Amino acid sequence: MGTEDLRRWLRQVRFALRPEAKGAALSRRSLCFDVLLAVLLTVVALVVASRYPGDGPVQVSKMEYGAPIPPRPPVLPGGRIESPASSPPWGLIMLSALPLAARRRFPLTVFAVVLCAGLAIGDDASWINVLTCVIGTYSAVMHSRHRAGAMVGLVVAAVLAGVAFRSTQPVLPGWSSPGVVLLVAGVVASVVRFGRRRLAASRDRFAALERAHGEATRRAVEEERARIAAELHDVVTHNVSVMVIQAGAARKVMDAAPERSKEALLAVEAGGRAAMAELRHVMGLLAAPDTGRPDSPADGLEPQPGLGQLDALIDRVRAAGTPVGVAVSLPPEPLPPGVDLTAYRVVQEALTNTIKHAPGAEAVVTLGWSGDRLEIEVMDTGGVRDGVPADGNGRGLIGLRERLAVYGGELTAGPTLAGGFRIRAEVPWRTV
């Protein structure tokens, strides 16, 4: 045996000798059953000891081999046997059965008391005393927290019973001697206890799997809510910001230039229609069948926006009064749907921030690629950026970072040396 095997064996021995955790409290039904069983066995033991002393499977004979068997006591009228002069040990008989009322609470103590009482009865022992010892043995092995102590007590009890009744003449075959009966009871209790432990372990594993499934479901629901919240933020923030700017412009020129006011109101209407279309799409995702990919289009729904709708986005921003320059150089191969949507959201969020927090500034959108990475940069000339942290940790930018992280991309945002603001993102576009 190697050193590692020896250590493993020692660990198993220590685990076997370690007391088990205290189990649940006993039910009232179990306690009542134990009390009734103990009282019943005590009454039966007293009746057997008074009316049929020494009768039963254990019949002690101290005569040498070949000697004549002494005559049985005379039978009195009514079938009663004449009792010997000495009276049965009533106290020991009660101790051999009555303590079983606490066999679940104090299994080892009850086992020791019942066994000692049965051995002390000696020649007057009957089948009921063997039965109470068997029940005590079963209870000790079945219900004791100290497994090692119960097994050691079982072996000691079997040896003591074999020595105490070594000269018996059992009615049943010789293998049914009290020592063997106790060992069989202990083995049966061990098998039952092992089966219950395995059943309990299986139930615990099943409960753990259910909890893990519930936790995974909860996380999936939270992730879906976060994704929908990000979509709603991108859709509502951009379109509502453009509509507010256009409505304000229409209000200012309503009296002086009605035609310009009309154009601004038409732009508000177009922005509202675009917002409603995107909102219908996002809400449709909630009831859409699972297609296996979170960014794949569902049947019956229009595709999510991508860089193909970039021109319409730029036109809406320009109509809101923000000059935008565009330089686009896309890879020759089509972009994956998720990367296409993410790139569009980066540009949309950056231009929305410019409209909201830097009115009057000019913006430049640059899209290019280098190797397998798509590069996106949106920079404006600056202005009063009310409400946008200088380190670029606003809620919208945090959502962009999470979007990019899904595809292994990165986002940097912050002020420029000229006083403007720049958002730069890189994301792998080629899926392997």
Side-chain angles (χ1 to χ4, degrees):
M1 179 182 296
T3 305
E4 188 63 28
D5 294 336
L6 180 60
R7 291 177 179 176
R8 187 182 301 109
W9 181 79
L10 291 176
R11 285 196 299 267
Q12 292 176 355
V13 171
R14 286 196 298 268
F15 177 76
L17 295 177
R18 184 184 308 167
E20 295 182 358
K22 189 175 182 180
L26 297 177
S27 63
R28 181 176 299 179
R29 181 178 180 181
S30 299
L31 295 177
C32 292
F33 175 80
D34 291 344
V35 171
L36 291 177
L37 177 64
V39 172
L40 177 62
L41 291 176
T42 302
V43 172
V44 174
L46 293 174
V47 172
V48 170
S50 62
R51 302 193 62 177
Y52 309 100
D55 196 7
V58 179
Q59 183 177 2
V60 179
S61 176
K62 295 185 178 180
M63 302 298 293
E64 295 182 358
Y65 180 77
I69 300 176
R72 295 178 62 86
V75 180
L76 299 178
R80 293 188 295 108
I81 299 176
E82 183 178 0
S83 301
S86 59
S87 61
W90 303 113
L92 292 177
I93 293 175
M94 294 184 66
L95 283 178
S96 68
L98 194 58
L100 293 176
R103 67 187 186 93
R104 298 178 198 261
R105 285 183 175 272
F106 310 102
L108 287 181
T109 303
V110 170
F111 172 53
V113 172
V114 170
L115 177 66
C116 292
L119 295 176
I121 293 174
D123 296 346
D124 294 328
S126 63
W127 61 270
I128 191 66
N129 304 118
V130 177
L131 178 60
T132 55
C133 289
V134 169
I135 296 176
T137 302
Y138 180 87
S139 303
V141 178
M142 187 68 187
H143 301 294
S144 176
R145 295 174 51 221
H146 305 275
R147 294 174 293 180
M151 298 306 297
V152 171
L154 170 63
V155 174
V156 172
V159 173
L160 292 177
V163 172
F165 300 102
R166 63 184 180 275
S167 58
T168 59
Q169 291 181 351
V171 176
L172 298 177
W175 51 263
S176 64
S177 63
V180 177
V181 171
L182 294 182
L183 287 176
V184 172
V187 171
V188 171
S190 299
V191 172
V192 174
R193 181 171 185 171
F194 179 73
R196 287 189 177 182
R197 290 186 62 189
R198 292 199 61 180
L199 180 60
S202 300
R203 290 175 178 174
D204 292 342
R205 286 195 298 269
F206 181 74
L209 290 176
E210 281 191 333
R211 289 193 298 268
H213 177 71
E215 183 67 19
T217 303
R218 184 185 63 82
R219 287 198 302 269
V221 171
E222 291 179 352
E223 292 174 359
E224 183 66 14
R225 288 176 177 175
R227 187 174 71 89
I228 294 173
E231 292 290 340
L232 291 175
H233 173 272
D234 295 337
V235 172
V236 174
T237 301
H238 171 74
N239 289 284
V240 172
S241 297
V242 172
M243 292 167 62
V244 169
I245 296 295
Q246 293 284 7
R251 177 180 55 81
K252 292 180 180 179
V253 300
M254 183 176 296
D255 297 330
E259 290 298 326
R260 293 181 58 188
S261 174
K262 181 179 179 180
E263 293 176 0
L265 292 177
L266 290 175
V268 171
E269 181 182 2
R273 293 181 183 278
M276 291 300 300
E278 289 199 47
L279 285 175
R280 281 195 300 270
H281 172 69
V282 173
M283 293 297 102
L285 292 177
L286 294 174
D290 186 10
T291 58
R293 291 184 56 183
D295 53 7
S296 60
D299 295 338
L301 297 174
E302 62 181 16
Q304 290 183 320
L307 295 180
Q309 288 77 37
L310 184 61
D311 291 340
L313 173 65
I314 298 299
D315 290 340
R316 289 198 299 270
V317 174
R318 288 171 176 169
T322 300
V324 181
V326 182
V328 178
S329 176
L330 296 179
E333 301 178 14
L335 296 176
V339 175
D340 193 26
L341 172 63
T342 300
Y344 177 87
R345 294 304 188 196
V346 169
V347 177
Q348 183 185 50
E349 178 66 23
L351 294 179
T352 301
N353 287 340
T354 299
I355 294 174
K356 291 172 57 178
H357 307 294
E362 298 180 2
V364 177
V365 178
T366 305
L367 282 88
W369 60 284
S370 176
D372 61 348
R373 299 185 71 84
L374 182 67
E375 300 175 351
I376 309 161
E377 183 179 89
V378 180
M379 184 170 56
D380 59 48
T381 57
V384 181
R385 308 192 67 84
D386 183 21
V388 177
D391 58 354
N393 285 328
R395 179 174 180 179
L397 297 181
I398 292 175
L400 289 182
R401 286 193 176 92
E402 293 177 353
R403 283 180 179 274
L404 291 165
V406 172
Y407 302 98
E410 299 177 352
L411 178 77
T412 57
T416 62
L417 296 177
F421 200 81
R422 178 176 60 186
I423 295 177
R424 180 178 176 82
E426 293 185 2
V427 58
W429 64 270
R430 182 182 286 116
T431 58
V432 181

